[in-house]
Amino acid sequence: MSDGDFERNETVAATMATTREESALGDATAVESDAVAAAGGLLSPEEVERAQALIGRLVDGLGTAILGQQELLELVTICLLARGHMLLEGLPGLGKTELVKSLSALLGLEFRRVQFTPDLLPGDIVGSPILQETDGSRQLVFHKGPIFANLLLADEINRATPKTQSALLEAMQERRVTVMGETHELPRPFFVLATQNPIELEGTYPLPEAQLDRFTFKINVYGVSSDTLQEIISTRRHGRAPDLSEVLSREELEHLFELVEGVHLPEAVANYIARLVNATHPDSADAPGECSQFVRYGASPRAAIALAGTARAAALVAGKPNAGFDEVRRVAVSVLGHRLVLDYSARLEGWTAVRMVERLLEAVPEVGRPLPQDVAVR
Amino acid sequence: MTARDRWIDRHLRRLHLGQFLQRAVEWVAVYLFFFGTTVLVVKLMVPALWPHVLWVASGAVPVTVMAWWWSRTGRFTRVESVALLDHSLGAGGLLMTLTESPHREWEARLPQVERRWRESLPRIRPQRVVGPLALPLVFAVGACFVPLREIVANTTVKSTAGQQATGQLNDLLEMLEEANVLEEQEQQTLREAIEKLAEETERSPLTHEKWETVDAMEQRMRMQLEDASVDMAQAAGAAAILAKAAAGDGMKLSAERLAELEQDVLETLQKMSKNGSLSAGSSALSSDLQRLIKNGKLRLPPDGEAREQLFSELQDFLDQESEKLSELRKQCKGSCSKCGSKSCDGECEGGQCASCGKECEGELCSSCSGSRPGRGGVTRGRGDAEMTWGDESDETGVQFKETVLPPGLQDDPKDEVLGITRSAPEVDPATGVSRAAARSIDPTAGREAWSRKLRPRHRGVVRKFFDTAANE
């Protein structure tokens, strides 16, 4: 590893640490979770078990609405627990919108849905000031848009113009919106769950890299097996999903957020994340040959932070007090897949971003130092 | 320190050992190549340093220490070691977490069976160490068994063998000078050649070419001595015959025979005069002899009595000189390695050496057989053929110059010597072979077949063959 790479890793690791501090300053929940971590150091087995039970209720609830997509449901849960935004990509009719609607029903959070169209304006999302007569005088009163909800479903997000898409930038990162110089905080928690259709290229506006980078996960939704399809046909009349009731209260969700913050990220795992993200850069010494050849731009430090956060959430879902290498590998494709900008030659060679991340996971060792030749480990 | 920490320490130590072994193998392999190369260079180019060069092998110790020091620079950290151990145990990161943030309840979730911890320790694989070392080791050991190159250029040899050989040549030359065997010009030539040879052997080793030169010079001086001895014996014999003839002791010689004998005596005296050996006799005799050979002719007194006395004195003088030369010949032969006597010529008769009288193993004693040609020892040629060494060219790289050799059937000069006795041989002088003619065969004259010399024992047969009626 070169000095430059080492410094870059150090920077990424430092950013991951300071982000936690920043969130602690601006987020009461983070403060509490830090207190939990500081008091006990590690989550107790009882806490983890209780969290697993809560998460289990949520996943089971989603499972009743979305059949045969257990991995997808767990990834959605992980992203939710990491307080990340999610982009679902898949063909129409695979249940993307249904998934988001089910999630809102199960969590009991305020849910809004915006169908993105080319003529949609930013004001249609964030809200706009309206001249209103009050007590005999007229004044501009800000009318909140649909973004002021806990759960925003941005359906077919790539059909809106870049101008409208950019209205989400501040909201997704800062969790607030500014209209006419006036900043409005968004309710907590705030999630954007967007869907996009890959085959409708006509009249679509691909999301810019800055927008994509704000999505913690991008999950590809695939079709289900024939057995699952048969079950769907049998149980769903007219495609109507079963009525779902709230399984997780807001407080319980907040508590889960605290517990995720308390999940320990060992130093070696943080180093692995840093090296993994660093290896996505084509000029890095750690980058495998294919990455150097086909990747134009690698992942940002925000990706490293997202990787660490989702790995923590994945650990809690798995019932562990700490994130390990397995959790990092589990979420790496969803976190890094949409953040790599590939060269045009990659398409010619049949390389996709997901395949590139899988290659990176093969190439980057868990420990950054090669074992001596005369030593064998299990 | 908890049991967990102890296992981690063991794991870390194993990793460090593996790193050290890997580094040591690399360094020692390079060092073995260096050692083998050094040994090869010494054995092939500087053999004098063998076996001191083996001390270089002790450099393996500092190399190993350096490998250990160097392996410390890129050592596995404890965090990395814990990560590897965690992976081996399948702890899913719990071990890493507990080393950073201990928790009693989670501690119980770690594997408790000691066997699992032991199995998770890294294994050192010796075959991976031996493999890369095998080739350099074979090379280094093989280099030690490469035979030493023979020392050609050696100061000791140069200062002993060369000088010893030239010293022997000098001794021989001095003896010949003392006996007045060599002419002055010949002496000068030989001395210069010996000095030149001695000078060269000081600067450079005694090569086989120089050995041949030494042998050729020695042979040449011996031949000179032999010739002088033979001439002296011939002259003494001739003087004896002439003395008898002058005394009229019933011996009547033809004029031609007398002339031949006188010519022999004259030639010998002239040579002696040239060499200066004539002045070695009594002053009266030498002045008489100087007068006798004046103007290149033998001036004999007319009186028969005076002539008889002169020949008698001359015979005594020549006999003395002949004896001196015979003694000198024996001295020049060298000493017998067995008896140490210079008079021993290596002849064996029965179970004893003829001269030294010691026991022999068979026909010839082993120490003496080497001095005889064709008997299995160190000889100078096949069978009885002596090798004649001529003057060697001092020009290197010159083209070979053809020299016409005399015909091969020339009589051996030794046969001539055997025919000379104090009494006259019992052959007809008219049909006898002219010794002077035999000595002076001119290969360029042609018609040798017509004047081919015959051995005395063949003459009767040849005469009988041609003594036919047709010839008559």
Side-chain angles (χ1 to χ4, degrees):
Chain A
M1 188 184 290
S2 66
D3 290 345
D5 295 332
F6 181 75
E7 285 172 10
R8 191 182 297 166
N9 283 349
E10 290 289 305
T11 309
V12 171
T15 311
M16 287 160 67
T18 51
T19 306
R20 193 171 167 187
E21 287 173 13
E22 283 170 6
S23 64
L25 289 172
D27 193 338
T29 314
V31 173
E32 287 173 14
S33 64
D34 275 357
V36 169
L42 271 185
L43 299 177
S44 67
E46 293 77 25
E47 284 176 313
V48 174
E49 283 170 14
R50 201 159 50 244
Q52 248 197 316
L54 292 174
I55 294 165
R57 270 159 42 192
L58 178 63
V59 175
D60 290 345
L62 286 172
T64 57
I66 308 296
L67 298 176
Q69 299 271 24
Q70 189 64 23
E71 178 65 17
L72 170 68
L73 301 182
E74 285 193 6
L75 284 174
V76 168
T77 310
I78 288 168
C79 186
L80 182 78
L81 293 177
R83 287 186 277 194
H85 308 295
M86 190 178 1
L87 177 63
L88 297 170
E89 183 176 283
L91 296 174
L94 288 178
K96 299 186 292 290
T97 309
E98 192 60 38
L99 171 65
V100 178
K101 282 164 65 179
S102 304
L103 193 62
S104 65
L106 290 168
L107 293 176
L109 298 175
E110 190 180 352
F111 170 72
R112 298 276 172 81
R113 172 179 176 169
V114 179
Q115 189 67 40
F116 279 53
T117 56
D119 58 350
L120 191 72
L121 294 173
D124 298 334
I125 300 171
V126 297
S128 53
I130 294 173
L131 192 61
Q132 192 173 346
E133 189 171 347
T134 310
D135 298 334
S137 62
R138 288 180 181 176
Q139 56 184 358
L140 286 171
V141 177
F142 179 68
H143 276 246
K144 293 177 180 175
I147 200 170
F148 286 85
N150 296 116
L151 209 56
L152 175 69
L153 172 58
D155 215 4
E156 297 182 338
I157 190 173
N158 58 339
R159 296 190 67 190
T161 58
K163 182 180 179 183
T164 309
Q165 289 172 4
S166 66
L168 287 172
L169 286 177
E170 187 187 10
M172 289 174 74
Q173 182 62 31
E174 309 292 332
R175 287 181 165 80
R176 63 190 179 193
V177 292
T178 303
V179 180
M180 294 185 71
E182 194 176 339
T183 301
H184 304 273
E185 290 290 331
L186 294 175
R188 301 297 173 106
F190 174 73
F191 302 106
V192 174
L193 290 93
T195 67
Q196 68 175 8
N197 193 336
I199 60 172
E200 288 186 10
L201 297 176
E202 192 70 29
T204 59
Y205 302 91
L207 292 175
E209 280 73 25
Q211 181 76 37
L212 277 175
D213 198 31
R214 279 166 170 74
F215 285 104
T216 304
F217 268 11
K218 179 189 173 191
I219 304 171
N220 290 313
V221 183
Y222 298 106
V224 292
S225 65
S226 55
D227 290 342
T228 308
L229 206 54
Q230 185 184 346
E231 191 181 351
I232 291 170
I233 294 166
S234 307
T235 56
R236 306 288 160 82
R237 298 286 173 88
H238 308 293
R240 190 182 300 157
D243 293 332
L244 297 172
S245 57
E246 181 182 317
V247 295
L248 215 59
S249 67
R250 184 184 294 261
E251 289 73 25
E252 284 171 330
L253 187 60
E254 293 289 349
H255 180 63
L256 284 177
F257 290 154
E258 289 172 20
L259 293 177
V260 169
E261 292 296 328
V263 170
H264 185 78
L265 184 71
E267 192 181 336
V269 180
N271 181 262
Y272 176 59
I273 292 171
R275 283 185 292 111
L276 193 63
V277 171
N278 191 37
T280 62
H281 295 273
D283 58 342
S284 166
D286 292 338
E290 297 86 351
C291 186
S292 302
Q293 189 179 354
F294 297 125
V295 176
R296 190 186 294 172
Y297 300 112
S300 62
R302 186 185 282 140
I305 295 162
L307 204 51
T310 52
R312 282 195 180 97
L316 196 63
V317 169
K320 289 165 62 177
N322 63 278
F325 298 113
D326 294 337
E327 283 72 38
V328 175
R329 276 194 292 269
R330 185 179 183 190
V331 298
V333 171
S334 301
V335 172
L336 297 176
H338 59 289
R339 288 182 161 96
L340 298 186
V341 181
L342 299 186
D343 205 327
Y344 69 93
S345 57
R347 186 186 292 268
L348 295 175
E349 296 289 333
W351 280 86
T352 61
V354 171
R355 189 180 162 199
M356 187 61 72
V357 176
E358 287 169 350
R359 174 74 188 97
L360 280 168
L361 290 173
E362 286 174 10
V364 179
E366 293 174 354
V367 175
R369 202 181 303 275
L371 276 173
Q373 288 177 352
D374 52 342
V375 167
V377 294
R378 285 175 39 148
Chain B
M1 181 182 278
T2 62
R4 170 169 52 82
D5 291 332
R6 278 196 291 274
W7 283 111
I8 291 169
D9 287 343
R10 286 182 68 180
H11 188 275
L12 189 58
R13 279 198 297 274
R14 285 274 179 97
L15 287 177
H16 288 170
L17 176 65
Q19 283 184 303
F20 162 66
L21 284 177
Q22 184 181 0
R23 191 69 69 184
V25 163
E26 291 168 359
W27 285 48
V28 170
V30 172
Y31 182 75
L32 284 175
F33 271 121
F34 165 74
F35 173 73
T37 309
T38 308
V39 169
L40 273 182
V41 167
V42 164
K43 284 202 160 189
L44 297 179
M45 301 181 76
V46 200
L49 290 179
W50 178 263
H52 307 295
V53 71
L54 290 176
W55 282 104
V56 178
S58 61
V61 176
V63 165
T64 311
V65 171
M66 283 175 68
W68 171 80
W69 177 81
W70 194 254
S71 70
R72 288 172 60 87
T73 57
R75 272 182 155 186
F76 274 90
T77 62
R78 192 176 173 82
V79 169
E80 289 166 336
S81 172
V82 170
L84 286 171
L85 184 57
D86 185 294
H87 179 87
S88 301
L89 281 170
L94 187 59
L95 182 64
M96 291 186 278
T97 304
L98 291 174
T99 51
E100 293 171 16
S101 179
H103 196 286
R104 199 182 308 133
E105 291 176 64
W106 286 112
E107 198 85 45
R109 306 281 178 104
L110 283 175
Q112 301 298 316
V113 184
E114 189 178 320
R115 188 172 56 86
R116 280 200 60 191
W117 286 89
R118 191 177 296 116
E119 287 174 352
S120 300
L121 291 177
R123 284 182 292 108
I124 303 292
R125 294 180 287 193
Q127 68 273 16
R128 294 289 181 99
V129 179
V130 173
L133 270 184
L135 185 62
L137 195 62
V138 168
F139 175 66
V141 173
C144 292
F145 286 100
V146 169
L148 273 177
R149 191 172 66 94
E150 285 183 17
I151 303 171
V152 176
N154 193 302
T155 313
T156 312
V157 173
K158 195 165 60 182
S159 61
T160 56
Q163 290 183 358
Q164 199 176 349
T166 50
Q168 282 176 356
L169 286 177
N170 258 327
D171 291 345
L172 188 58
L173 183 62
E174 278 174 13
M175 281 198 295
L176 294 181
E177 281 174 0
E178 219 170 279
N180 294 318
V181 171
L182 302 173
E183 291 178 11
E184 198 173 339
Q185 191 182 354
E186 181 78 10
Q187 280 180 30
Q188 189 65 25
T189 310
L190 284 169
R191 186 164 295 285
E192 283 174 4
I194 291 169
E195 281 174 4
K196 187 181 173 188
L197 191 66
E199 195 181 338
E200 283 180 0
T201 51
E202 275 183 9
R203 288 201 306 266
S204 58
L206 202 59
T207 57
H208 70 279
E209 290 92 350
K210 291 199 175 85
W211 273 117
E212 285 176 0
T213 309
V214 168
D215 282 350
M217 291 174 70
E218 190 182 345
Q219 195 74 6
R220 186 172 165 179
M221 285 191 279
R222 286 185 197 280
M223 289 295 290
Q224 294 273 2
L225 182 59
E226 293 281 337
D227 287 348
S229 178
V230 168
D231 287 346
M232 197 62 72
Q234 283 178 352
I241 294 169
L242 286 172
K244 281 185 180 176
D249 234 2
M251 180 181 277
K252 286 193 175 179
L253 298 173
S254 63
E256 189 186 348
R257 177 66 177 157
L258 274 174
E260 274 184 14
L261 292 171
E262 285 173 5
Q263 185 64 29
D264 284 350
V265 172
L266 178 65
E267 284 177 3
T268 306
L269 289 176
Q270 279 177 332
K271 276 188 184 174
M272 290 175 73
S273 172
K274 227 183 252 183
N275 298 344
S277 56
L278 208 57
S279 56
S282 65
S283 57
L285 180 64
S286 35
S287 60
D288 286 347
L289 290 176
Q290 292 288 354
R291 275 201 310 273
L292 190 67
I293 58 171
K294 205 170 182 182
N295 299 327
K297 282 185 180 177
L298 202 60
R299 287 186 160 194
L300 297 171
D303 186 15
E305 202 171 319
R307 185 181 291 188
E308 183 192 351
Q309 191 184 350
L310 176 67
F311 280 128
S312 178
E313 285 178 2
L314 182 61
Q315 183 196 349
D316 291 343
F317 172 68
L318 291 175
D319 280 342
Q320 283 176 11
E321 290 294 313
S322 181
E323 274 182 29
K324 277 186 194 172
L325 290 177
S326 298
E327 281 297 314
L328 193 59
R329 278 176 63 194
K330 285 183 180 177
Q331 283 180 12
C332 290
K333 275 184 179 177
S335 57
C336 177
S337 61
K338 191 167 184 180
C339 63
S341 169
K342 290 206 169 186
S343 59
C344 174
D345 54 0
E347 292 290 341
C348 264
E349 291 175 358
Q352 285 184 325
C353 182
S355 295
C356 65
K358 293 191 177 177
E359 293 284 330
C360 290
E361 298 168 359
E363 194 182 345
L364 288 174
C365 71
S366 59
S367 60
C368 296
S369 61
S371 63
R372 291 293 305 276
R375 309 310 288 258
V378 178
T379 66
R380 297 196 178 278
R382 285 183 59 198
D384 290 339
E386 284 190 350
M387 292 181 75
T388 305
W389 303 92
D391 292 330
E392 294 195 353
S393 171
D394 50 359
E395 300 172 53
T396 52
V398 294
Q399 201 172 4
F400 175 72
K401 291 172 186 169
E402 188 181 3
T403 306
V404 179
L405 297 173
L409 285 175
Q410 186 181 7
D411 287 344
D412 192 331
K414 283 182 180 175
D415 292 346
E416 299 291 331
V417 176
L418 289 173
I420 295 169
T421 59
R422 287 183 181 274
S423 60
E426 292 179 359
V427 290
D428 187 0
T431 57
V433 178
S434 168
R435 289 189 296 276
R439 281 199 300 273
S440 60
I441 284 177
D442 183 9
T444 58
R447 300 176 67 86
E448 285 87 4
W450 297 95
S451 59
R452 182 62 51 86
K453 304 301 178 291
L454 294 173
R455 290 179 185 275
R457 61 179 178 273
H458 296 154
R459 285 172 193 152
V461 177
V462 174
R463 192 183 297 118
K464 191 179 175 183
F465 178 79
F466 288 105
D467 191 14
T468 57
N471 289 334
E472 289 171 0

